[in-house]
Amino acid sequence: MDTKEIFNAASNFGFPMVLSWYLLLRMEQRLDRLTQCLNELSKAIISKHKEL
């Protein structure tokens, strides 16, 4: 999304709505990465537990 589209969206939908949408997209990527890390950690804990 280029700058012109961002300003156009802000004028059409309002700044708070555009900002919320942008932050939601950024947070979604981080939550996906966090979920992946937690799954890897869970697998590591299970494998260590099986070794005992």
Side-chain angles (χ1 to χ4, degrees), residues 7-45:
F7 285 124
N8 190 24
S11 66
N12 288 336
F13 300 110
F15 179 74
M17 186 177 220
V18 172
L19 180 63
S20 298
W21 173 78
Y22 173 74
L23 292 174
L24 180 63
L25 288 178
R26 287 186 47 111
M27 186 180 295
E28 181 182 12
Q29 294 170 354
R30 292 177 187 210
L31 287 174
D32 289 340
R33 178 68 180 135
L34 178 61
T35 301
Q36 180 184 4
C37 290
L38 288 173
N39 287 334
E40 291 173 11
L41 179 60
S42 177
K43 289 176 186 176
I45 291 171

